[in-house]
Amino acid sequence: MSNTIYSFSRLGSYENCPYGYYLTYIKHERGENGTYGVLGGILHEIMESLEHGLISKEDALNKWNNEIEFLETLDELNFPTEKSKNNYLEDISLYLKSFKPLEFGNKEVKSESYFEIELKGHTFRGYIDLAVIDHEKKEIKIYDYKTSSKSGFTGKNLIKKCYQLILYATSMESAYPNYSIITTCFDMVKYARHVETGKIKERKDIMVYEEDEYERYFLEIPYNEENKEKFLEYIETSIKLIELDIDKNDWKANYKNKFFCNNLCSHNKTCKYINK
């Protein structure tokens, strides 16, 4: 069994850019979290309290706005364009303003729940944003908050994104073998779903008079044998490629995705390929 401990983000790091993986996991250079990563982390902290009713919507929005103001003061809100910045911040604010928590009833709720699981001879670990466990019905629902654009969750991209939820569900199924995983979904924060038609809109595009007609948009991913098999194949293929690069000490940069390089990669300020 390999001594390396993997996570979904670790495999994703290699897929995004082998050279970035090398810097982070082989050279142990942390880099700097980009704007989207920083803001995503802030929102996750807020959601942990908001979903449980520990703070009000108003408190959550104030906390969010205070964090934004602080980052503005430090000149650390580096969006690709002013328009993308305004759209992103407006979508998040509207989500918090209209937020309606899930109904937990007498169910057990786990937030930021840590897990470790053995898969294909490798240890995987991670944190589940939200797991709702109904001990009476022996059912589990899993939620993950996403501030990404839904364009990255379509077609082949969706299959790869869903592996995160499949990993979470597999870990919960291992911990609760007699329970059914009935929901695995992303809470797509920037979007809302029309209650009657099912139409999805970015929150900034919803008129004020329409707001009551929309609800949180949960993008569900089926947890089934087909998706579990695809996930396990993805694990095997990814780790074989990583181990091959380790053996050859040959790490290629993937700088075809300019948006990732410039906005999401934690090494974009020091990468010799971007800055050559």
Side-chain angles (χ1 to χ4, degrees), residues 168-224:
Y168 294 169
T170 302
S171 73
M172 292 299 291
E173 187 175 56
S174 176
Y176 298 88
N178 297 320
Y179 287 57
S180 299
I181 312 295
I182 63 169
T183 300
T184 48
C185 65
F186 294 118
D187 183 356
M188 303 297 287
V189 171
K190 291 171 57 179
Y191 303 88
R193 174 187 175 277
H194 193 276
V195 175
E196 293 185 2
T197 67
K199 184 177 181 179
I200 310 302
K201 271 191 177 184
E202 192 169 343
R203 290 184 179 273
K204 67 179 180 59
D205 296 328
I206 299 173
M207 300 294 104
V208 175
Y209 62 84
E210 295 180 305
E211 288 179 351
D212 290 340
E213 301 172 16
Y214 284 80
E215 62 184 5
R216 292 166 71 177
Y217 171 40
F218 295 105
L219 176 59
E220 293 202 30
I221 307 297
Y223 181 61
N224 53 35

Side-chain angles (χ1 to χ4, degrees), residues 43 47 50 57-58 60-62 64-65 86-100 187-192 201-212 214-216:
L43 184 66
M47 291 306 302
L50 184 59
K57 290 188 293 186
E58 293 74 18
L61 186 58
N62 286 335
W64 172 257
N65 288 333
N86 292 336
N87 289 347
Y88 182 97
L89 296 180
E90 183 178 2
D91 284 333
I92 304 301
S93 294
L94 289 169
Y95 173 81
L96 294 174
K97 285 179 182 177
S98 63
F99 183 80
K100 291 182 180 179
D187 183 356
M188 303 297 287
V189 171
K190 291 171 57 179
Y191 303 88
K201 271 191 177 184
E202 192 169 343
R203 290 184 179 273
K204 67 179 180 59
D205 296 328
I206 299 173
M207 300 294 104
V208 175
Y209 62 84
E210 295 180 305
E211 288 179 351
D212 290 340
Y214 284 80
E215 62 184 5
R216 292 166 71 177

Side-chain angles (χ1 to χ4, degrees), residues 65-99:
N65 288 333
N66 289 337
E67 294 284 0
I68 297 301
E69 184 178 345
F70 178 68
L71 291 171
E72 289 269 35
T73 302
L74 298 178
D75 195 27
E76 291 186 2
L77 285 185
N78 301 310
F79 284 85
T81 64
E82 191 66 20
K83 181 179 180 181
S84 63
K85 169 186 171 182
N86 292 336
N87 289 347
Y88 182 97
L89 296 180
E90 183 178 2
D91 284 333
I92 304 301
S93 294
L94 289 169
Y95 173 81
L96 294 174
K97 285 179 182 177
S98 63
F99 183 80

